[in-house]
Amino acid sequence: RVEGDQTRDFISSDVKIGLTYGAIKRFNLGLPEYGYEDIIAGDTLDRMADAEHHAEPGDIMADKATFDLIPAIASVMEWREEFGVLGELIQLAPVAPWPMLAWEAAQEAAIVKALAAYVPRPVYEMLLAKQTHVAELKSVVSLFVQFHGLDYDADPEIAVKLQTYFVAAQRIVARYNGRLNRLITGDKGSMLHIIFGAPRAVEEQEARALRCALDLQAECGQLPF
């Protein structure tokens, strides 16, 4: 709970925040043997990224459409094009703690089984073995692959196209014992983050990453979008 000018006191001088409100597209991608990825995409997220780009360190920035929804809650310190800097909170939000959920043993087992594919297999196996300290310090190679040509908001076939691309990339990455770690969307295009050496160590990480990049370019680059 913050009042008046205390809004900015809670924000590190190195942090910039972008806020937008609107509809998003949500996709569940991948194959269970490689792992699922839950992502959100669309114009709302692009505007959020644009709002953050207009912010300076310490700012909370939102677009005009978002401020139009909350005129009685917050004031605007200044406008930068169509984005405003959040000023004083006029009305505090009610305290609403996250509800604590409880499951029966059978329900918990079903939930764990359903969510297991979202966790890297080596990490899941360590957790099953009751090894709770799964963090390690190791050398890895990160590969970032940017791709374009998908319309997340207007294309009725977007779910099929995105799944086709993601699964093709998963199979290529698995060929070199890497992990397709994330799919990131934003106003500058979409990007795959691929890692070699974590969570499972592999030899010749750099060579694997290079060969994988060439295969991704040759095979995924030919997909019709």
Side-chain angles (χ1 to χ4, degrees), residues 12-70:
S12 165
S13 60
D14 295 328
V15 174
K16 303 189 297 180
I17 298 175
L19 293 174
T20 52
Y21 176 85
I24 60 168
K25 288 294 185 72
R26 185 176 182 181
F27 306 93
N28 188 62
L29 305 175
L31 297 174
E33 57 265 39
Y34 302 124
Y36 292 132
E37 175 79 353
D38 187 70
I39 74 158
I40 55 177
D43 178 68
T44 299
L45 291 184
D46 295 346
R47 288 189 289 110
M48 178 192 68
D50 201 7
E52 186 272 328
H53 295 331
H54 281 76
E56 297 177 356
D59 287 342
I60 299 178
M61 186 79 68
D63 62 353
K64 186 177 184 303
T66 301
F67 275 115
D68 286 344
L69 296 171
I70 55 170

Side-chain angles (χ1 to χ4, degrees), residues 124-205:
Y124 176 63
E125 291 170 352
M126 292 176 70
L127 293 174
L128 283 181
K130 307 301 182 183
Q131 300 178 35
T132 56
H133 299 288
V134 298
E136 297 179 66
L137 181 64
K138 58 175 65 176
S139 297
V140 301
V141 174
S142 282
L143 175 64
F144 291 92
V145 179
Q146 192 173 50
F147 61 97
H148 302 271
L150 295 175
D151 187 337
Y152 292 107
D153 294 292
D155 187 348
E157 301 296 325
I158 183 59
V160 173
K161 292 178 180 178
L162 192 58
Q163 172 73 347
T164 300
Y165 184 88
F166 192 84
V167 167
Q170 277 188 319
R171 287 173 171 151
I172 294 169
V173 172
R175 188 182 302 165
Y176 296 99
N177 288 329
R179 171 172 172 78
L180 205 171
N181 189 48
R182 290 187 63 197
L183 190 155
I184 307 164
T185 66
D187 60 332
K188 303 302 181 185
S190 301
M191 184 178 297
L192 301 177
H193 176 216
I194 301 163
I195 51 178
F196 297 86
R200 179 174 285 132
V202 294
E203 297 179 351
E204 299 181 328
Q205 299 171 131

Side-chain angles (χ1 to χ4, degrees), residues 100-120:
M100 299 299 293
L101 303 178
W103 300 288
E104 299 292 336
Q107 291 177 303
E108 184 172 340
I111 292 170
V112 169
K113 182 179 179 180
L115 296 179
Y118 293 90
V119 180

